Amino acid sequence: MSEKDKMLAGEIYNANYDEELIKERIKVKDKCFEYNNIRPSNIEDRTNLMKNILRKYKGNFYIEQPFMCDYGYNIEVGENFYANHNLIILDGNKVQFGDNVFIAPNCSFYTAGHPLDAERRNQGLEYAKSIKVGNNVWIGGNVCVMPGVTIGDNTVIGAGSVVTKDIPSNVVAVGNPCRVIKEL
């Protein structure tokens, strides 16, 4: 099993020393650099390049600059997706956004995690667990979504939250760690 296969399966893999994964990360980081340096008024070129970065997209979507990701081919965005400035997606595994998702500035989605054991961590080992964001979700500024999390439909995540566990549909959730404070 290749390191990439292990990564996509959510198993421990070697991200730091595997040539295939390093090449893939450099390739998409070059594309992100290019994207981040296109004039904001050149919407057509920005959209076309982003379509080349993402694995899957539906209809209209818009991602403000700057944007960074690890691979791109694990990211799926739904119809009417909007992400404000400084979106970071560490997509060692699938990151799926539903329709009508709005993301405020400075948000991060991390599929990657590392062993707690320092010896294994220092070997460059990590894991990646998928993230899923449902339809009609609003994510406030400076939110971090951690590996393996699912956020349900029609949910609002308050600014500054660190989402470490699944959040159900039809709620407002806030805090560190993020927790439900209100049903909608």
Side-chain angles (χ1 to χ4, degrees):
M1 191 175 228
S2 72
E3 296 304 306
K4 182 176 180 177
D5 292 336
K6 293 177 192 175
M7 176 182 80
L8 296 173
E11 298 177 11
I12 295 287
Y13 68 100
N14 188 326
N16 292 329
Y17 303 108
D18 183 72
E19 288 186 32
E20 176 185 18
L21 293 176
I22 291 168
K23 286 179 186 176
E24 289 181 351
R25 284 195 306 270
I26 289 170
K27 181 179 176 181
V28 80
K29 287 182 189 315
D30 282 346
K31 289 180 183 181
C32 289
F33 177 86
E34 183 180 346
Y35 178 79
N36 293 330
N37 287 284
I38 296 173
R39 285 191 175 280
S41 60
N42 193 340
I43 295 170
E44 184 177 343
D45 283 354
R46 287 176 59 188
T47 301
N48 288 337
L49 183 52
M50 188 53 67
K51 287 179 177 179
N52 187 263
I53 292 171
L54 301 175
R55 175 178 184 257
K56 187 176 177 182
Y57 52 87
K58 282 174 35 181
N60 297 318
F61 66 90
Y62 198 81
I63 299 173
E64 296 285 0
Q65 299 156 303
F67 165 79
M68 289 299 297
C69 66
D70 275 345
Y71 300 97
Y73 55 69
N74 287 321
I75 302 170
E76 300 180 6
V77 300
E79 173 74 31
N80 200 29
F81 175 87
Y82 176 80
N84 214 316
H85 301 285
N86 297 317
L87 174 63
I88 297 173
I89 303 176
L90 302 185
D91 63 313
N93 208 314
K94 185 184 276 190
V95 180
Q96 184 178 17
F97 298 97
D99 297 337
N100 304 304
V101 172
F102 301 103
I103 301 173
N106 302 313
C107 289
S108 302
F109 296 80
Y110 304 143
T111 66
H114 301 277
L116 296 177
D117 171 47
E119 184 177 328
R120 294 180 75 204
R121 187 173 58 248
N122 291 341
Q123 294 171 8
L125 300 178
E126 65 182 52
Y127 61 87
K129 303 288 185 187
S130 65
I131 294 172
K132 184 175 182 182
V133 177
N135 297 313
N136 309 307
V137 172
W138 176 22
I139 297 177
N142 296 302
V143 168
C144 291
V145 179
M146 306 316 274
V149 166
T150 295
I151 298 172
D153 295 337
N154 309 310
T155 287
V156 176
I157 304 295
S161 295
V162 178
V163 187
T164 60
K165 296 185 189 293
D166 291 353
I167 303 294
S169 296
N170 304 305
V171 299
V172 175
V174 300
N176 180 6
C178 189
R179 63 193 178 288
V180 174
I181 62 164
K182 179 180 180 178
E183 291 189 22
L184 297 174

